[in-house]
Amino acid sequence: SSGINAEYGTLFSKKCDCPDVSYYVPCPCPPPVDLPYDFNFNFWRLDELKLLSHHREVARQLTLRDHALFAGITEHDILEFTKKRDLPIVNYPSINRCTEHFKKITDTVMTMILQCQPRDIRVKILEHFIDIAHQCIILRNFSALFAIAFSALASAAIRNLGSTWDNISPSHTDLFKQFLEITNPANNYKIFRKLLKTSNEPTVPFLHIYIQEFLIMNEANPDYLKKGLINLQKRRLIYRQLEEIRYFQTCEYNLTEIPELINFFVNYETGHVDDYYMRSEILKRGERERNKKSVRRRMTYS
């Protein structure tokens, strides 16, 4: 965990590249868009593999959307949602929007990997998403990190693709191990929380952590003490959590928005969650059959 903090702790310190701005003044300009200006977003001509290869820009656009959704979370929704768990989440629109977007990114990642028949292309897509998740860490977009690495890549359906994982590069394997360490729920997400506490830059936290905190506060602390006295300690705990959320909501990213790119992910036609593992098994059996045929051919010509 110390290595992770060392790597991701000071990633935002950079020199200003603008000639009109002093070396000692933070650059007010957004970084250049890391995508060809003539990139074709036409649905029928879009090269998905080429788009995913622009890891940094994909991560930036995911980050802008994730931050906008997180910034829109209201205190009313998060307090009421964690107090009245018997009501459906649709009654709390700001939380529902974040949750639905999180699921959509997870489903898009899984669908893009599982719908790809050739293993070599599937390996490239998997590596691209690992690189995108890495860029999300650099941008401190922990929401997208959890959606891509924890919910999608670490899911049973994707981990089931053993031959695909066996063919990714060692560097990507090491990165994925880091993701698992950061997103590990052990000790109440200890490593992730440590990264979050050391953040003094724009950040998109993992919403589930805050929901969990408020649930614990409500369950462990009554609103009123003996003789009807208000539980001020509980109010202080809630206030501190709300202050932290407000801080991350108001600390904005200085990036250029590309609506076509984020819309590609938001509008991507995904599969059904119940079909993912079945599709994974089909791909796995296909790989076994191809391996058997390859072995038989080698034996025939040897």
Side-chain angles (χ1 to χ4, degrees):
S1 61
S2 59
I4 290 174
N5 280 297
E7 181 176 356
Y8 300 121
T10 56
L11 288 162
F12 284 87
S13 57
K14 65 183 183 72
K15 298 177 183 178
C16 178
D17 298 323
C18 300
D20 300 329
V21 180
S22 168
Y23 172 87
Y24 298 103
V25 177
C27 178
C29 310
V33 172
D34 190 15
L35 199 68
Y37 74 93
D38 58 347
F39 191 88
N40 192 342
F41 282 99
N42 183 285
F43 177 79
W44 301 107
R45 298 180 181 178
L46 180 61
D47 186 340
E48 294 181 3
L49 202 60
K50 186 176 180 181
L51 176 63
L52 294 179
S53 69
H54 295 280
H55 319 126
R56 185 181 302 165
E57 198 56 52
V58 171
R60 287 171 177 171
Q61 299 309 310
L62 289 174
T63 299
L64 284 173
R65 177 59 61 91
D66 286 331
H67 185 268
L69 290 170
F70 185 80
I73 294 174
T74 64
E75 292 180 8
H76 171 270
D77 279 359
I78 197 164
L79 290 176
E80 291 299 309
F81 175 67
T82 53
K83 189 182 292 184
K84 303 174 181 177
R85 293 307 305 274
D86 54 327
L87 295 178
I89 193 172
V90 292
N91 288 303
Y92 312 98
S94 62
I95 293 179
N96 187 47
R97 284 191 292 269
C98 286
T99 304
E100 288 300 312
H101 179 70
F102 185 95
K103 291 178 181 176
K104 181 63 180 182
I105 297 304
T106 297
D107 288 342
T108 298
V109 173
M110 296 182 71
T111 300
M112 291 185 75
I113 294 172
L114 292 171
Q115 73 181 4
C116 187
Q117 186 68 34
R119 187 182 64 186
D120 57 336
I121 304 299
R122 198 162 59 246
V123 168
K124 287 181 181 178
I125 292 176
L126 178 56
E127 289 182 339
H128 284 326
F129 277 120
I130 290 174
D131 287 326
I132 290 167
H134 181 227
Q135 290 297 321
C136 286
I137 299 179
I138 293 173
L139 290 165
R140 294 186 177 273
N141 181 359
F142 297 111
S143 179
L145 171 68
F146 274 85
I148 295 171
F150 185 74
S151 293
L153 301 187
S155 67
I158 303 300
R159 294 304 296 270
N160 187 45
L161 302 172
S163 63
T164 304
W165 286 96
D166 291 341
N167 282 274
I168 66 173
S169 71
S171 61
H172 286 94
T173 301
D174 290 341
L175 274 176
F176 184 67
K177 288 177 181 177
Q178 285 192 27
F179 301 161
L180 294 181
E181 191 176 346
I182 294 172
T183 59
N184 188 349
N187 296 318
N188 199 13
Y189 296 94
K190 179 180 178 181
I191 296 175
F192 163 69
R193 287 176 182 278
K194 194 170 183 179
L195 281 173
L196 193 63
K197 293 296 183 185
T198 58
S199 178
N200 59 356
E201 300 287 346
T203 300
V204 185
F206 180 39
L207 178 60
H208 172 75
I209 297 295
Y210 289 114
I211 290 176
Q212 198 175 56
E213 286 289 339
F214 282 107
L215 284 172
I216 292 171
M217 278 188 274
N218 282 321
E219 290 174 3
N221 301 280
D223 289 329
Y224 297 95
L225 303 174
K226 293 179 180 179
K227 299 182 180 180
L229 295 175
I230 296 174
N231 189 344
L232 295 178
Q233 178 62 22
K234 179 179 179 178
R235 300 297 192 276
R236 291 190 195 97
L237 292 172
I238 290 174
Y239 175 79
R240 287 183 195 134
Q241 286 297 319
L242 290 175
E243 276 293 285
E244 187 173 300
I245 291 172
R246 278 194 289 265
Y247 171 76
F248 290 128
Q249 285 179 324
T250 56
C251 201
E252 297 182 349
Y253 287 88
N254 186 21
L255 298 169
T256 303
E257 186 177 5
I258 307 175
E260 297 89 347
L261 199 160
I262 190 61
N263 287 339
F264 165 77
F265 284 93
V266 172
N267 298 324
Y268 198 87
E269 187 174 347
T270 59
H272 194 275
V273 64
D274 295 333
D275 299 330
Y276 290 147
Y277 196 82
M278 182 176 66
R279 175 62 183 164
S280 174
E281 279 294 305
I282 291 172
L283 290 172
K284 192 175 179 180
R285 285 198 296 269
E287 285 296 326
R288 287 202 203 103
E289 290 300 318
R290 279 188 287 274
N291 289 338
K292 287 179 182 177
K293 289 178 182 178
S294 177
V295 170
R296 282 198 292 267
R297 279 197 298 268
R298 286 199 299 269
M299 291 175 68
T300 301
Y301 291 107
S302 63

